[in-house]
Amino acid sequence: MKYTTLPNSDVKVSKICLGTMTFGQQNTEAEGHAQMDYAHEKGINFFDTAEMYSVPAREETYGSTEKIIGSWFKKTGKRDEVILASKIAGPNANFGYMRENLDFSPASLTHALDASLTRLQTDYIDLYQLHWPERKTNFFGQRGFKSQEDAWEDNIQAVLETLDGFIKQGKIKHIGLSNETPWGIMRFLEEAKYKNLPKIKTIQNPYSLLNRLFENGSAEICTREQVGLLAYSPMAFGVLSGKFLTGESHPNARLSLFPQFSRYNSAQSTQATKMYQDIAIKNGLTLTELSLAFVAQQSFVTSTIIGATSLDQLKENCNTIHVTLSEEILKAIDEVQALIPDPAP
């Protein structure tokens, strides 16, 4: 395994982070435990979850992923060997069953954090993230910002003050954002800098060969301000494995089970995937190796979040850690991006 540190900290994290959002829906508790056992054995010390998981979010499975991680901690006694990340769901998640107010008020933050700590069977979370912005901004499938009627009032200082209180209590150690825009990243950094409040260490956003929108603004911010990207969906829900190009049926694949996740189903995504597969084959690589190595090589990426529904998938993904793409391959990738830019926004 390869390691780095969370930016502006001495926290050592693996360059592959175990994504767990399938635990409790597509994966049973036993399967989740098996994945965590394997990941730990292979040197992955970074696990990511969220209060809303498993995904797709449903009231019946709310918090199930955190519970499975918590039972693994209890069974193995390895909590202190894992850098644990979790998230509070923001108001734009539209999941009213979680609590009365889906906002980042002190009461909501306290309720969400304490509930996560209970499910996770731990007294601290290493990296606590805000899963969605409170304000209305761009969402999946939307390339850029569109002005919307929005009652949000800037409360970023108050949010950071509440999170600072959690840090001082020892409930969390570091903070991050998720599904945020360049403007949001800079506002959190600005408040931290001028009000002597905790600085965000990471931003968790989608990033893959089919979605490189992070490079437009956010990548420069992360580089210059020392914030690390935790790249999720690097395999585009399995599309970048190439399995959907064969014409075979994959009834247990996420895109088959949950057709509402359609962002990677476009004709442009299929065309780009075929072109990336050609590059991989030409260079003696699998499409999975090409896809994950591309993400891992970006200087602004701290860790790549790998989610798998089987141990075989997890093993294949972990084995890509030592793949390095040449400048020639990277140039070929950029040529496809220029022809079909970001087909899955």
Side-chain angles (χ1 to χ4, degrees):
M1 185 50 56
K2 295 180 180 178
Y3 298 89
T4 186
T5 57
L6 290 182
N8 298 295
S9 81
D10 59 359
V11 179
K12 177 183 175 183
V13 293
S14 49
K15 288 288 289 181
I16 289 178
C17 175
L18 180 66
T20 62
M21 72 178 187
T22 60
F23 298 1
Q25 191 155 179
Q26 284 182 272
N27 290 114
T28 64
E29 180 180 48
E31 290 169 341
H33 284 195
Q35 285 198 32
M36 287 183 279
D37 286 338
Y38 180 82
H40 182 267
E41 175 189 332
K42 291 299 178 182
I44 295 175
N45 73 336
F46 195 13
F47 294 2
D48 178 72
T49 187
E51 66 164 337
M52 65 171 276
Y53 292 170
S54 58
V55 173
R58 296 184 297 131
E59 185 171 2
E60 297 80 5
T61 56
Y62 166 51
S64 60
T65 300
E66 289 186 327
K67 290 176 183 176
I68 290 173
I69 294 172
S71 64
W72 185 81
F73 286 151
K74 182 178 181 180
K75 181 180 75 172
T76 63
K78 294 177 178 177
R79 170 65 187 94
D80 292 341
E81 299 176 29
V82 170
I83 304 303
L84 175 65
S86 193
K87 315 177 197 72
I88 174 177
N92 291 314
N94 296 320
F95 303 129
Y97 54 81
M98 293 184 185
R99 58 188 155 272
E100 184 176 354
N101 294 310
L102 279 172
D103 56 19
F104 295 150
S105 66
S108 294
L109 283 160
T110 300
H111 178 278
L113 176 58
D114 288 345
S116 286
L117 291 171
T118 297
R119 288 189 291 264
L120 289 162
Q121 300 193 50
T122 184
D123 55 6
Y124 70 98
I125 292 172
D126 297 279
L127 177 65
Y128 198 55
Q129 304 154 101
L130 307 178
H131 208 157
W132 292 96
E134 282 187 285
R135 65 194 188 281
K136 292 183 179 179
T137 185
N138 38 321
F139 286 91
F140 294 146
Q142 183 178 317
R143 291 183 183 276
F145 175 75
K146 295 181 180 178
S147 181
Q148 305 172 63
E149 185 176 340
D150 192 352
W152 178 75
E153 295 183 2
D154 194 323
N155 62 341
I156 290 175
Q157 179 181 341
V159 171
L160 286 173
E161 288 172 345
T162 302
L163 295 172
D164 188 35
F166 296 155
I167 292 172
K168 290 173 178 174
Q169 295 170 41
K171 290 184 176 181
I172 63 175
K173 294 188 176 182
H174 304 280
I175 61 172
L177 304 174
S178 182
N179 297 311
E180 230 339 329
T181 66
W183 184 88
I185 298 171
M186 285 304 300
R187 282 292 294 114
F188 275 92
L189 291 170
E190 178 183 49
E191 290 295 336
K193 180 177 180 180
Y194 293 108
K195 302 295 173 56
N196 194 30
L197 290 166
K199 179 182 178 181
I200 60 168
K201 302 294 174 61
T202 58
I203 168 75
Q204 185 176 148
N205 276 25
Y207 184 70
S208 70
L209 287 174
L210 298 182
N211 181 344
R212 295 172 59 176
L213 291 172
F214 192 84
E215 296 173 11
N216 300 330
S218 295
E220 181 181 8
I221 292 172
C222 286
T223 299
R224 297 190 185 278
E225 300 292 334
Q226 295 184 306
V227 175
L229 173 62
L230 306 181
Y232 77 79
S233 290
M235 292 295 294
F237 273 30
V239 169
L240 287 170
S241 69
K243 63 185 177 184
F244 295 106
L245 299 178
T246 65
E248 299 174 61
S249 173
H250 297 279
N252 294 320
R254 290 185 65 76
L255 287 178
S256 300
L257 293 171
F258 312 117
Q260 66 268 36
F261 296 130
S262 59
R263 64 190 303 192
Y264 301 110
N265 278 342
S266 68
Q268 294 94 328
S269 290
T270 300
Q271 182 183 359
T273 300
K274 288 178 181 176
M275 296 173 76
Y276 289 128
Q277 186 175 61
D278 290 343
I279 294 171
I281 292 171
K282 179 181 177 181
N283 290 278
L285 299 169
T286 67
L287 182 54
T288 296
E289 289 173 330
L290 183 83
S291 301
L292 294 181
F294 170 79
V295 173
Q297 278 183 235
Q298 304 305 312
S299 60
F300 50 83
V301 172
T302 292
S303 191
T304 305
I305 300 175
I306 299 298
T309 54
S310 72
L311 275 178
D312 286 342
Q313 288 177 340
L314 183 59
K315 290 174 182 177
E316 180 184 15
N317 292 344
C318 287
N319 288 339
T320 67
I321 190 64
H322 297 294
V323 176
T324 301
L325 304 183
S326 67
E327 288 299 320
E328 181 182 0
I329 295 174
L330 293 174
K331 181 180 178 182
I333 287 172
D334 282 345
E335 288 173 354
V336 176
Q337 165 73 357
L339 288 171
I340 313 174
D342 306 311

